[in-house]
Amino acid sequence: MPSLDFETEKTIFRDYYNENSGLFDGAKSSFITLVNSLIRSASDIALSKIEGRVKDRDECVKKFSRKYRTDLESKGEEYQIIDHITDLIGLRVVCLYEDDIVKIKDLLCEHFDVIDITDKISQIENTENSFGYKGLHLDLKLNEQRKGLPEYSKFTDFQFEVQIRTIIQDSWSVLDHKIKYKKSIPNYLKRRINSLAALFEVADREFREIRNATEESIRAEDVTQEQITQETDQVESGEEAPRFTISPLNAFSFLKIAQHFFNGFEFEPHKVDGFTEEIVSLKPDITRGKFNFYMRENISLVKRYKEFFENNYPNDKLNPYTVIRHCLYNGNKEAFSKLLTNQSTETFEAWLAESG
């Protein structure tokens, strides 16, 4: 029964915690699995990690004393400590982008009973000249549908807190806590901390904008092979007034064309970026149609060379990148001579001369 006797209530809470600590750990693991499954089923959410913890017993008591005890006792309101510890079981969901936070919130609100929502993002952003920890906190419980499932039967009475943050917000909260924890910070240092927090906010927004711009570029390059072929035909015919848009080669169009010629090969993004930059540095005006033209005109020849080379040099293989290098070199030796080593050039030229 609730009372105003803090020592009694502290003893009751400690006994309750000790008796149920194993159950708390089981609930934490179960909630992590469930939340992880729900979020990963939403393909448009970029998730970094989900982790959880059970709050230390004495930390719970300290939090109650710090936040609630004085007010309750001054009002003469009897209490039980457990009723005021909403984050005994806590989950942290870390996503990549700011707008994923709202998506995750909406998803969790759909699948759980919501007890409370604390929007620390709005609290900070609506305060002039103030920066600091940002994130969204949800206090949740299992809904009636899941309470009826046997795997959750032991956890039906537990509520848990979910903190939703971006990677940037999560990094800031860790650094900010380390700097400020149990320290008295002078005002001039607080101003520097606030300035740094503002830079973190800018980084969050920039990552989101870069993602949007990248997706826009991908959509712009989402062309069919037929369109690329049409551009290639224009290149081959040398039309002075092109009928179709002439698009410069970039990593997205390179990948589209390369996957057409090497279906099933995994082109790693960082290698695609570097290889495309190398090609463009040698011929800045190269278009996706011209690149496709070089590939189409030379791929059969280079594949025959590949067979010859690997038969004669069994310890060496020509991977798709090397095949592309040979196609470009044979398509425009003046522009792409640096794509091959001297030895590779000599071997290839000797084969060309011999094969006629």
Side-chain angles (χ1 to χ4, degrees):
M1 294 293 292
S3 73
L4 285 170
D5 187 333
F6 177 69
E7 292 302 320
T8 297
E9 294 304 323
K10 182 167 65 174
T11 299
I12 292 172
F13 174 78
R14 285 176 170 172
D15 290 343
Y16 167 78
Y17 188 103
N18 293 339
E19 291 169 3
N20 292 280
S21 59
L23 203 57
F24 298 152
D25 282 324
K28 176 201 70 178
S29 298
S30 181
F31 295 153
I32 287 175
T33 300
L34 177 55
V35 170
N36 185 59
S37 176
L38 290 170
I39 294 175
R40 292 195 184 278
S41 66
S43 59
D44 63 334
I45 295 175
L47 189 64
S48 172
K49 65 179 178 179
I50 298 179
E51 55 191 10
R53 60 100 184 98
V54 176
K55 200 175 190 71
D56 178 77
R57 183 193 67 181
D58 292 333
E59 281 300 316
C60 292
V61 175
K62 290 177 182 178
K63 179 177 180 178
F64 171 80
S65 294
R66 184 176 66 253
K67 294 189 67 175
Y68 306 109
R69 180 184 173 188
T70 300
D71 185 58
L72 290 168
E73 291 180 354
S74 66
K75 295 177 180 177
E77 294 182 16
E78 296 181 341
Y79 55 81
Q80 290 180 300
I81 292 176
I82 187 58
D83 293 337
H84 298 274
I85 306 300
T86 60
D87 62 343
L88 177 61
I89 299 169
L91 273 59
R92 181 177 302 157
V93 177
V94 181
C95 55
L96 299 189
Y97 306 108
E98 279 185 309
D99 48 3
D100 284 334
I101 291 177
V102 175
K103 296 176 186 176
I104 294 170
K105 181 202 76 171
D106 292 343
L107 182 67
L108 296 182
C109 289
E110 179 183 348
H111 288 274
F112 294 94
D113 286 343
V114 180
I115 299 168
D116 192 25
I117 297 177
T118 304
D119 187 352
K120 293 182 179 289
I121 297 174
S122 295
Q123 289 177 5
I124 291 294
E125 291 183 345
N126 291 332
T127 304
E128 187 177 359
N129 298 324
S130 179
F131 302 94
Y133 165 72
K134 295 172 68 176
L136 191 67
H137 293 192
L138 308 179
D139 293 330
L140 306 173
K141 290 187 74 171
L142 294 170
N143 60 20
E144 291 303 318
Q145 180 182 0
R146 284 200 166 82
K147 284 181 180 179
L149 299 176
E151 60 265 38
Y152 302 116
S153 60
K154 296 180 181 179
F155 314 132
T156 55
D157 293 331
F158 294 153
Q159 75 177 67
F160 61 102
E161 180 188 75
V162 178
Q163 299 177 357
I164 310 171
R165 308 171 178 171
T166 65
I167 288 179
I168 299 295
Q169 292 168 358
D170 190 52
S171 300
W172 170 251
S173 71
V174 173
L175 291 169
D176 190 45
H177 180 75
K178 289 293 184 182
I179 293 171
K180 293 180 178 178
Y181 186 59
K182 292 184 178 179
K183 298 183 181 76
S184 177
I185 306 294
N187 284 335
Y188 78 95
L189 288 180
K190 287 181 181 178
R191 287 194 296 273
R192 292 177 64 181
I193 292 171
N194 283 345
S195 298
L196 184 59
L199 293 178
F200 273 68
E201 285 191 27
V202 171
D204 237 338
R205 291 170 188 167
E206 281 299 302
F207 275 120
R208 185 189 64 207
E209 292 302 317
I210 290 169
R211 178 208 60 189
N212 292 343
T214 301
E215 291 176 350
E216 184 66 28
S217 296
I218 292 172
R219 284 192 295 271
E221 293 296 341
D222 188 19
V223 295
T224 65
Q225 191 59 38
E226 180 182 359
Q227 289 173 290
I228 292 175
T229 301
Q230 290 171 340
E231 290 186 22
T232 305
D233 291 341
Q234 284 183 172
V235 171
E236 187 174 15
S237 66
E239 293 180 25
E240 294 184 3
R243 291 164 292 153
F244 309 102
T245 301
I246 301 299
S247 301
L249 182 70
N250 59 31
F252 304 119
S253 52
F254 170 89
L255 187 59
K256 179 84 174 180
I257 296 166
Q259 287 175 333
H260 171 73
F261 288 100
F262 303 97
N263 187 27
F265 181 79
E266 184 177 351
F267 288 89
E268 299 175 75
H270 70 281
K271 291 184 179 180
V272 168
D273 290 342
F275 192 46
T276 306
E277 287 179 8
E278 184 180 2
I279 294 170
V280 173
S281 70
L282 295 174
K283 188 168 177 53
D285 62 343
I286 188 169
T287 64
R288 66 187 182 193
K290 191 67 174 179
F291 174 65
N292 189 66
F293 171 75
Y294 289 139
M295 292 301 300
R296 190 177 71 179
E297 293 299 301
N298 294 282
I299 188 69
S300 296
L301 174 74
V302 175
K303 282 185 175 179
R304 292 201 307 273
Y305 172 70
K306 179 179 186 294
E307 183 178 0
F308 157 82
F309 181 87
E310 292 180 353
N311 285 336
N312 286 272
Y313 304 93
N315 293 326
D316 294 321
K317 301 293 181 183
L318 299 189
N319 65 30
Y321 287 106
T322 309
V323 171
I324 293 171
R325 288 178 183 274
H326 282 79
C327 288
L328 292 174
Y329 168 79
N330 202 56
N332 189 334
K333 294 180 182 181
E334 182 180 353
F336 295 116
S337 61
K338 293 183 179 179
L339 282 180
L340 299 179
T341 64
N342 290 341
Q343 184 177 352
S344 296
T345 302
E346 289 174 7
T347 306
F348 186 41
E349 287 290 355
W351 179 82
L352 288 172
E354 187 177 331
S355 62

